Amino acid sequence: MGMQPEEFIDQINRKQMPAFRELFGSFYRYLVLYAMRYVRQQEVSEDIVQEVFIAVWERDAQYPTYNAFRSFLYNSVKNAGLNHLKHKNVEEKYLASLNLEDEGDDIDLKMMEEELYRLLFKTIDELPDKCRNIFLLHLEGKGNEEIALLLNLSILTVKTQKKRAMSYIRERLGRVYFVMMSLGII
C-alpha cells in the first residue's frame, strides 16, 4: 500500500479519488480471489467485488480504522457471494421444477413458464439487498417467523419488505404479474 493506513481511511471517508485508486490497486485481486472461494466463477467474483467498491463509494459510512474497513470489505464480499449462491439455488430449484419432458402444448407452456421465471428473477435482482433476500426466502417457502429468525429481523420488517417486493414486482411486470399469479409462480 502506497499510503499510510490512517491517510487511506481518512481519504476513503472523505470520498477522495486517490484512495479509491489505492483501494483498487491494493484490494481488488485479493477480494476477487476471496469471492472465488464462494462462487467459483471469475466473472461473478469480479462483479461482486466491483459492487462492493461501488457500495463503499456510495455509502455515507465512516470507517473508524483501517482494520475495520478491511473487515467490512471481506465481510461484504463474503455476504454477496453467499447471497449469489442462495439466489442461484432458488432459481435452480424453480427451473428444475419445470419438467420439460412433456410434448406438444405442454412444452410450449413449460417454455413460457421458464421465461416467466427468468423475468421474475431478473426483476428480483433489481430489489434492494434486504428486500431481495427476504423475498427469495419467501419463495423458498419459508414463513415470516423463520425469515425473521434467519435474518435477525422483526416480523414486521419481514412483512413490510415482502409487501414492498410484491408491489415493486407488480409495478415492474404489469399484466405479466397476473399471469404469474394464475400459474402459481408467485
Side-chain angles (χ1 to χ4, degrees), residues 39-57:
V39 297
R40 305 207 186 289
Q41 292 176 289
Q42 179 78 25
E43 223 174 273
V44 174
S45 297
E46 289 172 0
D47 288 347
I48 285 171
V49 173
Q50 288 168 16
E51 288 298 319
V52 168
F53 284 2
I54 289 168
V56 168
W57 180 259

Side-chain angles (χ1 to χ4, degrees), residues 55-118:
V56 168
W57 180 259
E58 291 178 345
R59 287 179 82 210
D60 288 334
Q62 295 288 300
Y63 306 96
T65 65
Y66 176 79
N67 286 338
F69 178 68
R70 221 174 128 222
S71 291
F72 166 78
L73 289 176
Y74 280 91
N75 283 333
S76 297
V77 168
K78 176 184 175 183
N79 290 337
L82 294 174
N83 284 341
H84 172 80
L85 292 176
K86 272 192 246 176
H87 175 135
K88 192 174 171 190
N89 186 31
V90 170
E91 197 172 37
E92 284 172 358
K93 271 188 193 172
Y94 277 110
L95 292 176
S97 72
L98 302 174
N99 181 359
L100 295 177
E101 293 173 11
D102 300 335
E103 292 181 15
D105 292 340
D106 286 347
I107 288 180
D108 291 340
L109 179 62
K110 295 295 183 190
M111 287 172 71
M112 183 182 83
E113 283 181 3
E114 190 172 306
E115 180 59 22
L116 289 172
Y117 278 115
R118 190 192 64 72

Side-chain angles (χ1 to χ4, degrees), residues 2-172:
M3 290 184 200
Q4 292 298 316
E6 299 80 23
E7 179 188 6
F8 174 73
I9 286 302
D10 178 56
Q11 286 196 20
I12 285 286
N13 286 337
R14 290 187 297 119
K15 309 291 186 216
Q16 301 294 306
M17 194 50 73
F20 283 90
R21 283 192 210 98
E22 184 89 22
L23 170 65
F24 188 85
S26 296
F27 285 98
Y28 183 78
R29 273 186 324 152
Y30 300 108
L31 289 171
V32 169
L33 288 171
Y34 186 65
M36 290 277 293
R37 292 171 55 185
Y38 298 97
V39 297
R40 305 207 186 289
Q41 292 176 289
Q42 179 78 25
E43 223 174 273
V44 174
S45 297
E46 289 172 0
D47 288 347
I48 285 171
V49 173
Q50 288 168 16
E51 288 298 319
V52 168
F53 284 2
I54 289 168
V56 168
W57 180 259
E58 291 178 345
R59 287 179 82 210
D60 288 334
Q62 295 288 300
Y63 306 96
T65 65
Y66 176 79
N67 286 338
F69 178 68
R70 221 174 128 222
S71 291
F72 166 78
L73 289 176
Y74 280 91
N75 283 333
S76 297
V77 168
K78 176 184 175 183
N79 290 337
L82 294 174
N83 284 341
H84 172 80
L85 292 176
K86 272 192 246 176
H87 175 135
K88 192 174 171 190
N89 186 31
V90 170
E91 197 172 37
E92 284 172 358
K93 271 188 193 172
Y94 277 110
L95 292 176
S97 72
L98 302 174
N99 181 359
L100 295 177
E101 293 173 11
D102 300 335
E103 292 181 15
D105 292 340
D106 286 347
I107 288 180
D108 291 340
L109 179 62
K110 295 295 183 190
M111 287 172 71
M112 183 182 83
E113 283 181 3
E114 190 172 306
E115 180 59 22
L116 289 172
Y117 278 115
R118 190 192 64 72
L119 189 58
L120 174 63
F121 281 105
K122 186 171 181 259
T123 306
I124 291 171
D125 276 342
E126 297 169 5
L127 294 169
D129 287 347
K130 187 191 325 186
C131 192
R132 181 177 62 237
N133 291 339
I134 289 169
F135 194 73
L136 288 172
L137 289 170
H138 165 69
L139 284 180
E140 285 181 20
K142 295 187 178 0
N144 293 340
E145 294 83 8
E146 190 177 359
I147 295 170
L149 269 173
L150 282 168
L151 300 178
N152 199 22
L153 299 169
S154 73
I155 293 175
L156 182 61
T157 299
V158 170
K159 288 179 179 178
T160 302
Q161 292 296 324
K162 272 176 41 182
K163 195 181 275 186
R164 282 186 185 149
M166 291 299 283
S167 176
Y168 179 80
I169 292 167
R170 186 170 46 246
E171 185 181 306
R172 265 314 252 124

